[in-house]
Amino acid sequence: MTDAPPAFELLPGAARSPVILHVPHSSRAIPADVRSGIVLGEAALERELDHMTDAHTAELAGRASGRAARTPWRFVNRTSRLVVDPERFPDEREEMTAVGMGAVYTHTSHRAVLRRADTDPRPLVERYFRPYARAMAEAVADRLAATGRAVIVDVHSYPAEALPYELHGGGPRPAVCLGTDAFHTPPELLAAARAAFEPCGDTGLDSPFGGAYVPLDFHGRRPEVHALMVEIRRDTYMSEPGGPAGPGLSRLAGALAALVDAVSD
């Protein structure tokens, strides 16, 4: 028995909805035993959370769900990406390991030390990463069984100015960046997203962040699993870094709801 809050949560949607809004980076929560392995002082850690948390994206997904004609499912990470990043590969396939940001981060957004060099990532991977990956795969399998397809929409945000950790920060930074996967992002999903987010400003593809999250059980194997990453530039809806949301959040919620409606039937 434990009173600890869940590390992640699946919030049910309509039985016939194929859509899963995936919100992996919205939380600032770090369990005390994980905090003890982070070398930053409290003020520096709060600033790092300001930079690296996709603030208000869980609220954005919740508002969009409430406005959609057919309620999507939501899979929400309830711990910070500084615990583990569930969207990284936990091995040598992950390019962000080059800047100390694999599944378990060792460095900060400004390339300072986050964890000691001798930190063993395996306990955090086993405790947080693998259960998250299994649960997300099960959620996708459930949508496939119920509707014959699954549509994963990753809900992220990113800063207006590139941070030092970004490997591809020199490209365009549109109001809405749409991350795609060559196998799992069909043209009709991309077209629906462009149309839905048109009221929110310019959209671009795979810059400054590219790709889309698909559980490895399905990646490159199941074309019925569609995926799109939605990266929203933070200055369009909040005060940076880590500040309150503004009126742009409501406009984005309407756009995300429109996307959900477009791909639900």
Side-chain angles (χ1 to χ4, degrees):
M1 297 288 290
T2 178
D3 294 328
F8 52 83
E9 188 174 11
L10 177 63
L11 299 164
R16 297 298 300 169
S17 174
V19 181
I20 300 172
L21 297 180
H22 181 218
V23 188
H25 295 156
S26 65
S27 176
R28 296 173 70 99
I30 301 175
D33 61 327
V34 180
R35 169 67 181 96
S36 65
I38 293 175
V39 303
L40 301 180
E42 288 303 312
L45 177 57
E46 287 301 308
R47 182 56 100 181
E48 182 64 9
L49 288 167
D50 287 345
H51 287 305
M52 291 301 293
T53 303
D54 291 352
H56 314 296
T57 51
E59 181 183 355
L60 171 60
R63 288 196 194 185
S65 296
R67 295 169 68 167
R70 183 182 295 173
T71 306
W73 296 62
R74 283 177 286 153
F75 195 104
V76 183
N77 191 4
R78 297 303 187 190
T79 58
S80 169
R81 66 195 297 185
L82 302 188
V83 178
V84 298
D85 191 330
E87 294 206 315
R88 304 286 201 239
F89 289 113
D91 53 35
E92 66 281 352
R93 290 172 292 179
E94 180 52 60
E95 70 168 354
M96 295 302 295
T97 302
V99 290
M101 288 187 167
V104 177
Y105 295 177
T106 59
H107 288 73
T108 72
S109 57
H110 288 71
R111 302 201 179 193
V113 173
L114 182 73
R115 289 182 170 93
R116 292 181 295 272
D118 61 355
T119 298
D120 182 357
R122 290 175 295 182
L124 290 174
V125 168
E126 292 302 321
R127 180 178 169 190
Y128 291 100
F129 184 95
R130 298 201 189 282
Y132 189 108
R134 284 194 299 269
M136 185 64 183
E138 289 169 1
V140 171
D142 183 67
R143 293 300 84 212
L144 285 172
T147 73
R149 61 194 182 99
V151 183
I152 304 166
V153 178
D154 247 0
V155 185
H156 290 263
S157 70
Y158 74 97
E161 299 293 332
L163 291 170
Y165 84 92
E166 294 182 26
L167 293 179
H168 311 289
R173 302 180 84 82
V176 180
C177 163
L178 302 174
T180 65
D181 179 276
F183 187 86
H184 292 282
T185 310
E188 59 270 22
L189 174 55
L190 190 56
R194 286 188 183 278
F197 285 101
E198 185 177 8
C200 302
D202 58 322
T203 60
L205 293 183
D206 295 310
S207 176
F209 299 98
Y213 177 79
V214 176
L216 290 178
D217 291 359
F218 306 100
H219 190 261
R221 302 176 185 177
R222 297 291 298 272
E224 315 96 298
V225 177
H226 297 173
L228 180 75
M229 179 169 66
V230 177
E231 288 268 8
I232 301 158
R233 205 179 65 224
R234 292 175 188 156
D235 64 342
T236 67
Y237 76 93
M238 63 174 283
S239 298
E240 295 188 80
L249 192 69
S250 180
R251 181 173 60 250
L252 286 161
L256 185 56
L259 173 59
V260 169
D261 287 345
V263 300
S264 290
D265 294 328

